[in-house]
Amino acid sequence: MSSLFSKKNKEVFSAPLGMNNPVTVQVLGICSALAVTAKLEPAIVMGLSVTVITAFSNVIISLLRKTVPNRIRIIVQLVVVAALVTIVSEILKAFAYDVSVQLSVYIGLIITNCILMGRLEAFAMANGPWESFLDGIGNGLGYAKILIIVAFFRELFGSGAVLGFQIIPSSVYEAGYLNNGLMLMPPMALIIVACIIWYQRSKHKELQDK
Amino acid sequence: MKALRNYLNRIKPNFEPGGKYHAFRSVFEGFESFLFVPNTTSKTGTNIHDAIDSKRIMSIVVIALIPALLFGMYNVGYQHYLYTGAVGGFWEMFLYGLLAVLPKIVVSYVVGLGIEFIVAQWKREEIQEGFLVSGILIPMIVPVDCPLWILAIATAFSVIFAKEVFGGTGMNVFNVALITRAFLFFAYPTKMSGESVWVASDSIFGLGKTVDGLTAATSLGVASTAKVADAYPAFSWDMVTGLIPGSIGETSVIAILIGAVILLWSGVASWKTMLSVFVGGAFMAYIFNEFGPETAMARMPWYEHLVLGGFCFGAVFMATDPVTSARTESGKYIYGFLIGAIAIIIRVLNPGYPEGMMLAILLMNVFAPLIDYCVVQRNISRRMNRIK
């Protein structure tokens, strides 16, 4: 069993959380990071959905990788991802209807999330199911992490709340404080993502482009 | 002058590396070269030096802005006394305006220059002078009741994200002052538009009087909310002299034209850009007059479009910004014309934005390099044809 958690497998899991983050380093999945992060709750649900879908589609494709003919592999990958997305979407509609309404089309659009196809092509097609599972979980959580950071700042400064609870007291508003309306618009999400990338690259010299 | 020079020479060693105040070297360097032309020469390569440097250009722009700023101060007082019914003479009105506007100028300069100083010291560079102009432009393009703290946030945002991340003065894609205004406009719309921000409603140090719930719409605001097509405000000479509600520096066409004369006479701004903005605006407004939809904004005469709102101010001081505008000579015509035309299109066709000048200039800032590229390529291919 020790090989399940070998050093290499730990690396597979933890790299996407930090030094090989799909959003800040590979700059993938930006579109949904802009769309669903105006509030923290949908961002968390979105992050978890992507984690589940990435993990299981990685496992399934990894199991199929030797039997799928190379020429039709993209179609097979799409079918697998689409099936998982549909399942997650139905589960959300059944058990978390309010959030699924907030997320609207973006759950369906996980199919087009670049991180998914990227991981399938780059990792699952060449590795075993367990490594692929770890890789999927890692990348999903790396994506979720950035979404949660962005959504936290956007909700705090755009609505004065976190997870729907009012954080900034009403006395501050009476003193003349105003919510920043730009925070609720997608451009500000892009700027926050840029700030995270800025912070990460100035901290880690090896990420800087020459 | 001599005494000042001697004084600077005496305190200079303190700011050299190893001196007592070496942490403030860039600050000292900035003030010294603001006061005196630096006596250093370039060490490498062959360089052609113009007699004028960017600090001198910036100073001329600031001088050109002063008529509009002084008139804006007077107008702030005039509007306040007019709408609140307080009684006061010319000097009281001016003093009121001065006290209302001065904190905005101070906030804008302290925040903007503070960030510039920190960045310059951190990167061990000289302080860049670009903020001299932006710092005075920012208070002039906001409404008088815009709170100071949001002005500070917006200034910081735009200096960092519109300027420093691109590499500082001369490298910015967008006009820094307009990014400040755009940030304010989208982040705090209640403090940047509507009817309650254009006239100061509080008394300052006993001058004027406080009136709650004071409302006064700008002329463009009136036109954009008018229900019938001929309900646009009638042309009056107050629109030219500037005695109407509006952002602090933008109302007076006459004061802005004095600034334009200074800019053109000193050769700092390009007459091609300036003229073509007015031509573009007049052309587009005339088209709407003739063929436009049945709204007050479209029916408003073209000359009124040109004198109202930020059109003149944008054309003279924003569109001609040498960093963000087109640099090729024929590109300037295209760039200016499109700014004028797009500003009027936004005013007329988008009911949400009564003023389109800011968005038009920011939009064309993006396209300025493309215009330059096309002009240069056209020139190259034209000349290549000759050798065939």
Side-chain angles (χ1 to χ4, degrees), chain A:
Chain A
M1 280 303 278
S2 67
S3 68
L4 280 184
F5 295 101
S6 66
K7 195 158 178 290
K8 185 174 159 289
N9 283 352
K10 275 184 190 158
E11 176 66 22
V12 162
F13 173 75
S14 64
L17 288 171
M19 299 304 288
N20 198 14
N21 189 287
V23 182
T24 62
V25 178
Q26 299 169 18
V27 198
L28 297 174
I30 293 289
C31 348
S32 54
L34 305 189
V36 300
T37 52
K39 296 257 181 294
L40 190 51
E41 193 186 3
I44 293 173
V45 174
M46 182 74 176
L48 289 180
S49 311
V50 170
T51 308
V52 170
I53 294 169
T54 320
F56 285 100
S57 63
N58 260 3
V59 171
I60 295 168
I61 291 298
S62 174
L63 290 170
L64 292 174
R65 73 185 189 278
K66 287 177 183 148
T67 49
V68 179
N70 206 29
R71 283 160 64 194
I72 60 160
R73 70 185 193 284
I74 300 283
I75 299 173
V76 175
Q77 288 165 6
L78 272 179
V79 169
V80 170
V81 174
L84 285 165
V85 167
T86 311
I87 292 168
V88 168
S89 168
E90 293 299 316
I91 290 173
L92 281 181
K93 272 183 193 149
F95 297 104
Y97 185 72
D98 291 341
V99 179
S100 85
V101 170
Q102 280 182 43
L103 287 168
S104 65
V105 296
Y106 292 104
I107 286 290
L109 285 177
I110 292 178
I111 298 172
T112 64
N113 194 321
C114 338
I115 296 172
L116 278 161
M117 295 301 280
R119 286 340 286 171
L120 294 178
E121 277 288 290
F123 198 90
M125 289 300 284
N127 289 283
W130 172 243
E131 288 90 345
S132 299
F133 179 75
L134 286 179
D135 179 77
I137 295 272
N139 275 284
L141 289 180
Y143 170 81
K145 182 177 111 180
I146 302 301
L147 247 62
I148 287 168
I149 296 174
V150 174
F152 173 79
F153 286 110
R154 285 183 74 187
E155 192 175 357
L156 181 62
F157 294 113
S159 320
V162 169
L163 277 174
F165 296 108
Q166 196 66 27
I167 294 289
I168 297 174
S170 57
S171 57
V172 179
Y173 285 100
E174 279 156 23
Y177 178 79
L178 291 165
N179 285 328
N180 187 328
L182 198 60
M183 278 286 175
L184 298 178
M185 298 181 193
M188 212 58 192
L190 202 59
I191 288 172
I192 297 174
V193 171
C195 287
I196 299 172
I197 294 176
W198 186 3
Y199 171 78
Q200 196 185 15
R201 296 207 177 172
S202 59
K203 219 176 142 199
H204 301 284
K205 289 272 178 283
E206 63 270 32
L207 290 176
Q208 288 172 10
D209 296 325
K210 284 290 171 308

Side-chain angles (χ1 to χ4, degrees), chain A residues 175-183 185 188 191 194-195 198, chain B residues 147 149-150 153 157 160-161 165 183 186-191:
Chain A
Y177 178 79
L178 291 165
N179 285 328
N180 187 328
L182 198 60
M183 278 286 175
M185 298 181 193
M188 212 58 192
I191 288 172
C195 287
W198 186 3
Chain B
W149 70 271
I150 65 174
I153 291 178
F157 175 86
I160 294 170
F161 288 101
V165 295
F183 181 88
F186 289 109
Y188 305 102
T190 56
K191 293 292 171 193

Side-chain angles (χ1 to χ4, degrees), chain B residues 108-378:
Chain B
S108 150
Y109 269 122
V110 167
V111 173
L113 285 181
I115 294 171
E116 292 251 349
F117 282 175
I118 292 167
V119 171
Q121 194 66 43
W122 180 37
K123 290 161 95 178
R124 300 183 192 290
E125 284 175 355
E126 292 175 20
I127 287 175
Q128 293 164 330
E129 46 280 284
F131 199 75
L132 274 181
V133 171
S134 307
I136 199 153
L137 280 172
I138 289 167
M140 291 175 77
I141 53 176
V142 296
V144 65
D145 261 4
C146 174
L148 293 177
W149 70 271
I150 65 174
L151 196 65
I153 291 178
T155 307
F157 175 86
S158 105
V159 171
I160 294 170
F161 288 101
K163 193 165 165 194
E164 294 304 341
V165 295
F166 288 102
T169 302
M171 310 293 281
N172 45 323
V173 179
F174 298 103
N175 187 310
V176 176
L178 279 178
I179 290 288
T180 311
R181 194 180 197 283
F183 181 88
L184 288 171
F185 186 82
F186 289 109
Y188 305 102
T190 56
K191 293 292 171 193
M192 285 301 287
S193 51
E195 302 201 330
S196 60
V197 292
W198 304 102
V199 174
S201 57
D202 292 323
S203 72
I204 302 174
F205 295 130
L207 283 169
K209 74 179 186 190
T210 305
V211 172
D212 285 338
L214 183 70
T215 59
T218 59
S219 304
L220 285 174
V222 172
S224 74
T225 50
K227 297 280 184 295
V228 270
D230 51 2
Y232 56 83
F235 180 78
S236 75
W237 285 102
D238 279 352
M239 293 174 181
V240 179
T241 56
L243 294 172
I244 49 170
S247 296
I248 291 165
E250 72 175 17
T251 57
S252 172
V253 178
I254 293 174
I256 292 167
L257 285 184
I258 296 172
V261 169
I262 296 174
L263 288 181
L264 294 179
W265 171 75
S266 59
V268 168
S270 157
W271 64 269
K272 292 175 182 168
T273 316
M274 232 182 256
L275 179 74
S276 49
V277 175
F278 283 106
V279 170
F283 171 78
M284 206 63 224
Y286 183 75
I287 298 273
F288 278 121
N289 286 168
E290 295 295 317
F291 312 107
E294 282 295 319
T295 58
M297 205 56 130
R299 286 280 160 263
M300 193 157 75
W302 59 271
Y303 51 87
E304 224 178 299
H305 264 298
L306 298 193
V307 297
L308 284 180
F311 197 92
C312 282
F313 195 87
V316 171
F317 295 112
M318 303 289 195
T320 57
D321 174 3
V323 175
T324 54
S325 72
R327 290 166 198 211
T328 49
E329 292 303 313
S330 43
K332 284 175 183 168
Y333 289 116
I334 305 169
Y335 173 80
F337 185 86
L338 287 174
I339 286 180
I342 292 170
I344 302 295
I345 291 174
I346 294 172
R347 277 186 190 179
V348 173
L349 297 183
N350 191 334
Y353 304 138
E355 177 54 290
M357 202 57 187
M358 167 184 84
L359 296 170
I361 297 174
L362 287 177
L363 182 67
M364 290 315 293
N365 281 171
V366 184
F367 286 104
L370 181 67
I371 294 171
D372 283 344
Y373 176 82
C374 291
V375 168
V376 170
Q377 286 302 316
R378 207 178 122 253

